[in-house]
Amino acid sequence: MDAAEPDARRVRAARAGILVLFVGMGLMLGTHVSRVPSVRDALGVTPAQLGALFIAGSIGGLIAFSLLGGLVARLGSLLLLRLASVAVVVGFGGMALAAHLGSPAVFGAAMFVTLGSFETVNALANAEAATVERMVGRSIMSQFHAAFALALLAGVGIGALYSGAGVAVPVHYLVNVGVVGLAFLACARLAILDGAPAAADSAERAGGIFVTLRVAARERRTLALGLIIFCAFTIEMSANNWLPLTLVDDFGRTEALAALLYAALVVAQSAVRVVGGRLIDRLGRVRILRGSAVLVAAGVLLIALAPGFWAVPIALLLWGAGAALGYPLAISAAADERTNATARVAAVAAFGTIAGLTMPQAIGLLAEGLGLRLSLLLVVAVAGAMLLLAPAARPLPAPATGVEEGEGAADTLEA
């Protein structure tokens, strides 16, 4: 290890702090997801109007991603994480106020702040996780994302308890997110290894405030990794948005059973993420991405074309396993080059937000003419694109030993 780098004890502490960030983000998202029906009723909006409010939040996320690299260079990641932690609590407070007042306009503005600050925390956590992964010397990124997924499930479960007990949305939001925000502030110094601003004459500062946009536009590898994120996010979001409805409408199952089966998909996804690091180190990034694409395609084809319900549980396990590693693997690849690593992570992560803005709607439009099951075949095409893009995740040449060298050897075999 370089003398300038932290020792093993400090790296372990940072790993624990980053885990808190991922768990907290999962709980925040679960808090929101679990009360969407109540929020809709409180605001008095239609599903289409609620979707428009969510788009306002997504725009906030995209703006945050575009500015992130420049802000990190000027403010430092530690200060930015602390500011974003406060802002996400303020944003959720605004959403709570909007639900109390029944004001869609206030809710849309609060969503803009909430998602912008949430995605800032998300990108900083992923960039720092990639740094720790490099120092540990083996693939561990998928474990952080497994913690996020399990915390999301826990947040949804806690939300169901709040709802069942008749707790109002504002109280639920303020209690849960307030606790998470305090945890973020408490562990920020632990999670961030080097949070200082970049030197005035550094490459990071020379890129300008919009350095994230520049690396996305100019670097072919970063653009390709962003497209992999686009595919991976589409694969996940399609399951989130459409699977429960497909199980109810096309297979005639109850909403409760559909929720239980969707939970099984998330558990399969999380289980693969827990062990995924070892698979990546053994087989290499490219093989894992290609295998993930094949699993997703097989699962979606079963859902779309299955002659009976018996194939659905198998399909969900395949889909969940295939959806597990694409996103964290592309994030790790984006941080291979240490200069402007945060900007690259933000650039590729922004493609996930773009996918969230476009692909669920595309499937919904297809469903109008083809039916929901057949419209899911679009996910098969997306999985095929991820398979073709997989070589972009091959590690950059580096003299250092460890995970990058090992993966490079594995991936070189398939060049």
Side-chain angles (χ1 to χ4, degrees):
M1 179 175 290
D2 192 304
E5 292 185 342
D7 59 23
R9 182 177 180 180
R10 178 67 184 92
V11 172
R12 286 195 297 271
R15 185 175 177 179
I18 294 165
L19 187 64
V20 171
L21 297 180
F22 275 90
V23 169
M25 288 188 292
L27 287 172
M28 278 187 179
L29 187 56
T31 295
H32 169 62
V33 168
S34 67
R35 301 307 297 269
V36 166
S38 296
V39 168
R40 179 198 60 192
D41 295 342
L43 297 177
V45 295
T46 66
Q49 291 169 332
L50 186 61
L53 297 177
F54 290 160
I55 288 175
S58 297
I59 292 171
L62 286 174
I63 292 174
F65 281 135
S66 68
L67 297 174
L68 188 62
L71 290 176
V72 167
R74 284 154 181 77
L75 301 178
S77 53
L78 178 58
L79 176 58
L80 191 57
L81 176 59
R82 287 170 172 164
L83 291 174
S85 299
V86 173
V88 76
V89 175
V90 171
F92 261 101
M95 291 163 61
L97 177 63
H100 177 69
L101 298 175
S103 172
V106 173
F107 189 84
M111 276 289 293
F112 181 89
V113 174
T114 299
L115 200 55
S117 50
F118 182 91
E119 296 295 13
T120 298
V121 174
N122 180 34
L124 291 171
N126 275 290
E128 208 66 22
T131 299
V132 168
E133 182 179 61
R134 176 179 56 80
M135 292 179 175
V136 168
R138 55 191 174 84
S139 299
I140 60 171
M141 180 68 77
S142 62
Q143 296 174 7
F144 293 117
H145 286 261
F148 173 87
L150 293 173
L152 170 58
L153 275 181
V156 171
I158 293 170
L161 293 176
Y162 272 106
S163 180
V167 177
V169 170
V171 175
H172 179 191
Y173 276 10
L174 292 174
V175 170
N176 281 26
V177 178
V179 171
V180 172
L182 289 174
F184 281 3
L185 291 174
C187 77
R189 176 68 273 180
L190 192 68
I192 304 296
L193 286 167
D194 179 15
D201 59 349
S202 66
E204 289 87 348
R205 291 289 288 271
I209 192 68
F210 294 107
V211 62
T212 301
L213 297 178
R214 287 192 174 93
V215 298
R218 295 178 180 177
E219 298 177 2
R220 293 179 60 186
R221 181 176 185 264
T222 300
L223 178 60
L225 290 173
L227 292 174
I228 290 173
I229 290 282
F230 183 95
C231 295
F233 207 79
T234 297
I235 289 166
E236 278 197 66
M237 287 292 293
S238 299
N240 297 345
N241 286 280
W242 298 116
L243 263 179
L245 188 59
T246 301
L247 295 175
V248 171
D249 288 355
D250 294 320
F251 289 96
R253 305 299 152 169
T254 65
E255 187 177 44
L257 181 58
L260 183 63
L261 288 169
Y262 171 71
L265 180 147
V266 176
V267 170
Q269 181 187 48
S270 301
V272 172
R273 282 178 171 173
V274 169
V275 301
R278 296 176 184 175
L279 295 174
I280 294 169
D281 289 341
R282 176 174 295 182
L283 300 176
R285 292 173 180 170
V286 178
R287 284 196 180 100
I288 291 296
L289 274 175
R290 288 172 174 166
S292 297
V294 170
L295 288 175
V296 168
V300 177
L301 284 169
L302 268 180
I303 289 287
L305 306 176
F309 182 74
W310 61 267
V312 169
I314 299 171
L316 295 182
L317 293 178
L318 291 172
W319 195 336
L325 299 178
Y327 191 97
L329 196 153
I331 291 291
S332 291
D336 278 347
E337 186 175 337
R338 296 171 66 179
T339 301
N340 281 326
T342 301
R344 288 188 182 85
V345 168
V348 301
F351 281 82
T353 302
I354 296 170
L357 284 169
T358 57
M359 297 308 287
Q361 293 83 344
I363 291 174
L365 288 173
L366 285 175
E368 292 293 324
L370 299 177
L372 191 48
R373 285 178 70 186
L374 289 179
S375 72
L376 290 175
L377 291 174
L378 179 61
V379 180
V380 178
V382 169
M386 189 169 78
L387 187 148
L388 295 175
L389 291 163
R394 186 174 290 112
L396 297 175
T401 58
V403 61
E404 294 170 339
E405 182 179 335
E407 287 183 36
D411 287 330
T412 300
L413 294 175
E414 34 185 325

